Amino acid sequence: MFTSIHSLVRPGRDLRVDFIRGLALWFIFIDHTPGNLLGQMTLRNVAFCDATEGFVLLAGYAAGIAYGRAMEREGWAHAAARVAGRVGTLYVAHIFLFVVFTAQVGFSAAALDQAAYLDELQLDPFGAEPYRAMLEALLLRYQPAFLDILPLYIVVLAMFALVLPLIGRPGWLLAASLTLYAAARLLDWAPPSWTGSGWFFNPLAWQLLFAIGVVLGRADPQALARRFPWNRWLAALAVLLLLATAVLLNLTWHGPARGWEVPEWLAAWLSDVDKTGLHPVRVASVLIMAWLVAHWLPAGARWLNGPPAAPFVLMGQQGLAVFCAGIFLSFLGRLALELASGGWVQAAVNLAGLAALVAIAVVSAWYGGDGKRRRAPALPASAQGATP
Amino acid sequence: MARLRDLLRPALVLAAILLPPGMARAEPAGCSAPPDAMEAAPLPGSVAALSRGALRVMVVGSASTQGGGTSGPAATWPERLEKVLGTRVAPATVQVSVFGGRGTTAADHARIIAEQAPRLRPHLIIWQLGTVEAARGLPPDEMVEAVQDSVAKLRASRGERTDVVLVDPQFSRFFRANADVETYRDRMRLAAAASGAQIFSRWTIMRHWAETERLDLERAPRAGRVAMADELHDCLARALTQFILQGTLRGPASAPRDRPPG
């Protein structure tokens, strides 16, 4: 089976990026099914950053390569139109997921009949004003829990279409991006939301990671290696920092229940690390990890090209389809974990979830979802026989 | 004689804590709440108040402090806390005042505390928050700020005379599935650690009860739901009582040297 999946992998790209992206998509599925025991083993439990940072950085990386090439070949108008088309697809996907989410909430509210128990839950905006909520969702001003990554992606990608001409000048692009990031953080710039106070992910801040990804994707790997040379001591320091972060975070979260207290000033600093505005520490954390992975995982690593890595590589290559399917599947996973508990549900949700994600990637790669530009591989014999 | 009684009071409190009076149920105090969730740091303000004979508790929170599906106001956990804790620390008295209401956010609570605390001079503030924030997807940063500012102000004005215990949301599978509760709980824990407040994790305790099938409101048949809600609130009050008593045992003023001879 792995071999046939492997045959669908598009060669000639940096498979590391696809692999890590596939992993990030899997983590996003896990983190979106609360109550999932695997959720205690994802990045967010040990680092300042989590799969979202990785996803946005690598989305920028992929966009830099794909639209950068289009920009060079066809000019701004064409490349921008292509980005706009992508934005449209993402928007429709988001609205579809919104409808699914709403139906799921309604269904589980009826199934669990939680009536008077959690009075506060009836305060959710959709229940209170459904018509208004629908409009606000279309305007992206209302984003229910767990439906906040796609709106971020949509806005960041739309901004990218505007600055495409800067793609040949990475210095300018980064400077513009950093300026906007600083302004968003210091001046509290944020798009409005219905509930009154900003988005869960402020796109004006989060665009920084995307821009860094674009620049990395466009850069010549050799030049990049010269710019950020490998240094064993620096790497040791980086690993030490990441380990210290993991210990510190867990001590602060779980220490008090065991009688260990973290000094207040340290905890105060930790609690200032916000996700909404993409705190600089989160940027540093994901970039340090990227640097370490880029070195330890050489582009030509044999196992990356082998069948066992193929499912994740393929998931990464078919990013959008897998992402949307992941969010959709996480709704089903949540329903399952809500209605039953125990080891077998956990195993079933995770096995079925991962299998479905891989299946989506396979189908998408096979009929050419994200890989339209390449000729679709021949249909399997049986399928060919079935078509008249 | 009165002076002797005053001297002995801390010891009486201690004895009351160590020897729970006639336990009706054959289960550990606090309705078998997991010990991990009952670990409290010292509560100096409450210790001092108990040794003087009167503990003023201020409860601030959203809907569960007001009704929460119980048979009536008398069955809510703040009311039950006054009774249960009162019995355990007698002859010291416990007076609980409840503020807030359905749909109130941490920012609202911070305002209430700023208004009421100078008047009430509570020794213990039990602050239940996070549910409304998570249900509505309000920014976690604002919740964290409200907690940190509020506790810092209390520290400045009341010093060690007021302890603050944060109470996190009620556990519910429905809530867990449809709101990003973990994010808010993580941030709440950090805010507590940063400000010197403590966390009484209702979420952890109720999840334990649900998983061990001790108390599971979501799976309760409709007919028995109100009775189950009453029991839940009573058990929460008992668990909270254990938590507070443990915190007072670890308080500096309740050193064992106060133990009467003999």
Side-chain angles (χ1 to χ4, degrees):
Chain A
M1 191 188 81
F2 285 136
T3 327
S4 53
I5 292 177
H6 184 223
S7 67
L8 288 167
V9 167
R10 263 178 293 163
R13 319 198 341 171
D14 192 337
L15 294 186
R16 296 179 295 179
V17 173
D18 293 330
F19 180 78
I20 302 286
R21 210 172 172 205
L23 217 53
L25 288 168
W26 185 40
F27 279 4
I28 287 178
F29 164 74
I30 292 171
D31 284 339
H32 279 65
T33 43
N36 187 339
L37 289 180
L38 284 187
Q40 285 161 19
M41 281 153 48
T42 52
L43 204 50
R44 60 182 277 178
N45 297 285
V46 289
F48 282 119
C49 65
D50 58 39
T52 317
E53 273 88 350
F55 178 76
V56 173
L57 181 72
L58 294 178
Y61 189 95
I65 293 176
Y67 300 115
R69 225 177 275 149
M71 176 80 196
E72 279 162 2
R73 244 181 296 168
E74 298 154 352
W76 185 12
H78 256 95
R82 195 175 281 174
V83 176
R86 185 71 160 178
V87 169
T89 312
L90 290 169
Y91 180 75
V92 171
H94 173 66
I95 298 304
F96 168 70
L97 289 174
F98 175 80
V99 173
V100 175
F101 171 82
T102 315
Q104 178 246 319
V105 172
F107 176 80
S108 43
L112 283 176
D113 189 21
Q114 39 80 51
Y117 167 31
L118 277 178
D119 204 12
E120 310 288 20
L121 291 189
Q122 288 155 27
L123 295 170
D124 83 284
F126 198 91
E129 293 177 74
Y131 296 111
R132 175 82 190 276
M134 203 60 110
L135 175 67
E136 298 289 354
L138 286 169
L139 296 173
L140 300 183
R141 281 162 39 98
Y142 168 48
Q143 301 165 16
F146 306 115
L147 281 182
D148 32 33
I149 299 182
L150 270 183
L152 165 70
Y153 196 9
I154 289 168
V155 172
V156 168
L157 209 55
M159 281 158 54
F160 177 57
L162 297 179
V163 297
L164 266 173
L166 285 183
I167 205 164
R169 297 169 179 235
W172 289 46
L173 181 63
L174 278 185
S177 171
L178 259 174
T179 311
L180 181 55
Y181 171 77
R185 281 196 69 82
L186 299 175
L187 308 174
D188 286 333
W189 286 359
S193 81
W194 181 24
T195 40
S197 21
W199 291 19
F200 193 80
F201 298 110
N202 182 357
L204 302 181
W206 276 75
Q207 49 77 28
L208 176 65
L209 261 187
F210 189 87
I212 294 175
V214 169
V215 170
L216 290 178
R218 295 279 298 164
D220 165 35
Q222 255 117 47
L224 213 54
R226 275 198 303 280
R227 181 60 82 72
F228 301 99
W230 183 251
N231 178 318
R232 203 180 299 167
W233 295 108
L234 218 53
L237 186 68
V239 171
L240 219 61
L241 268 179
L242 293 180
L243 281 179
T245 306
V247 171
L248 192 60
L249 281 175
N250 281 286
L251 212 57
T252 321
W253 284 326
H254 309 296
R258 288 166 185 77
W260 305 318
E261 305 280 338
V262 170
E264 272 176 33
W265 60 270
L266 199 55
W269 183 77
L270 284 179
S271 80
D272 276 345
V273 177
D274 64 310
K275 193 172 186 183
T276 301
L278 188 67
H279 194 277
V281 169
R282 298 183 75 107
V283 183
S285 164
V286 68
L287 291 181
I288 287 175
M289 280 186 220
W291 181 60
L292 291 175
V293 171
H295 180 80
W296 279 326
L297 188 62
R302 196 178 277 146
W303 64 269
L304 265 181
N305 280 298
F312 285 102
V313 171
L314 202 61
M315 275 163 64
Q317 291 192 345
Q318 306 298 325
L320 177 61
V322 173
F323 176 83
C324 294
I327 301 287
F328 177 77
L329 289 167
S330 72
F331 294 148
L332 301 182
R334 274 185 252 164
L335 279 183
L337 291 178
E338 217 176 295
L339 299 174
S341 49
W344 66 271
V345 198
Q346 293 278 344
V349 164
N350 283 304
L351 285 176
L354 185 57
L357 288 180
V358 175
I360 299 277
V362 166
V363 171
S364 172
W366 167 62
Y367 88 86
D370 270 7
K372 283 189 202 88
R373 330 215 55 230
R374 191 182 50 122
R375 269 180 52 231
L379 290 168
S382 56
Q384 237 164 4
T387 44
Chain B
M1 195 58 206
R3 197 169 146 64
L4 183 66
R5 248 186 58 194
D6 275 343
L7 271 176
L8 285 182
R9 202 165 255 152
L12 291 175
V13 170
L14 248 181
I17 293 162
L18 295 174
L19 309 166
M23 289 171 47
R25 252 184 284 256
E27 75 174 345
C31 296
S32 312
D36 260 12
M38 310 292 285
E39 196 73 37
L43 293 166
S46 310
V47 172
L50 284 173
S51 64
R52 282 194 306 271
L55 175 69
R56 284 189 300 274
V57 182
M58 176 178 181
V59 172
V60 195
S62 51
S64 74
T65 57
Q66 312 285 326
T70 57
S71 57
T76 57
W77 64 265
E79 296 292 326
R80 292 300 305 148
L81 179 71
E82 188 174 75
K83 300 281 177 310
V84 177
L85 184 60
T87 315
R88 294 289 296 277
V89 298
T93 57
V94 175
Q95 181 205 339
V96 175
S97 326
V98 185
F99 298 88
R102 179 169 190 265
T104 48
T105 64
D108 298 329
H109 301 156
R111 247 188 318 276
I112 293 172
I113 292 173
E115 276 167 22
Q116 299 295 334
R119 192 181 62 81
L120 208 66
R121 289 175 295 120
H123 308 111
L124 173 61
I125 295 184
I126 301 178
W127 184 354
Q128 177 261 309
L129 73 164
T131 315
V132 175
E133 272 81 2
R136 289 196 186 157
L138 300 177
D141 301 329
E142 284 178 14
M143 177 188 79
V144 167
E145 254 168 55
V147 169
Q148 277 175 266
D149 285 359
S150 198
V151 179
K153 278 187 199 138
L154 278 172
R155 276 270 181 96
S157 61
R158 305 257 321 146
E160 292 240 299
R161 286 170 297 170
T162 300
D163 307 316
V164 181
V165 173
L166 306 182
V167 178
D168 64 3
Q170 301 194 62
F171 173 77
S172 137
R173 295 178 193 82
F174 176 81
F175 192 30
R176 183 177 67 183
N178 297 310
D180 190 3
V181 186
E182 279 310 313
T183 294
Y184 292 86
R185 289 189 57 233
D186 280 351
R187 293 301 296 276
M188 201 190 289
R189 280 186 279 187
L190 287 179
S195 56
Q198 302 198 43
I199 292 250
F200 175 73
S201 183
R202 191 162 59 147
W203 180 272
T204 311
I205 294 170
M206 284 178 62
R207 188 179 55 199
H208 177 80
W209 285 337
E211 280 168 359
T212 53
E213 291 174 11
R214 169 71 182 79
L215 262 174
D216 192 347
L217 202 48
E218 265 174 324
R219 299 272 157 88
R222 186 181 272 274
R225 199 160 297 162
V226 171
M228 177 81 87
D230 284 358
E231 190 185 355
L232 175 69
H233 279 240
D234 181 60
C235 275
L236 278 173
R238 288 177 192 281
L240 194 48
T241 297
Q242 283 303 110
F243 181 88
I244 293 167
L245 293 180
Q246 224 212 342
T248 53
L249 270 181
R250 295 174 67 177
S254 64
R257 61 184 144 80
D258 287 7
R259 201 182 286 270

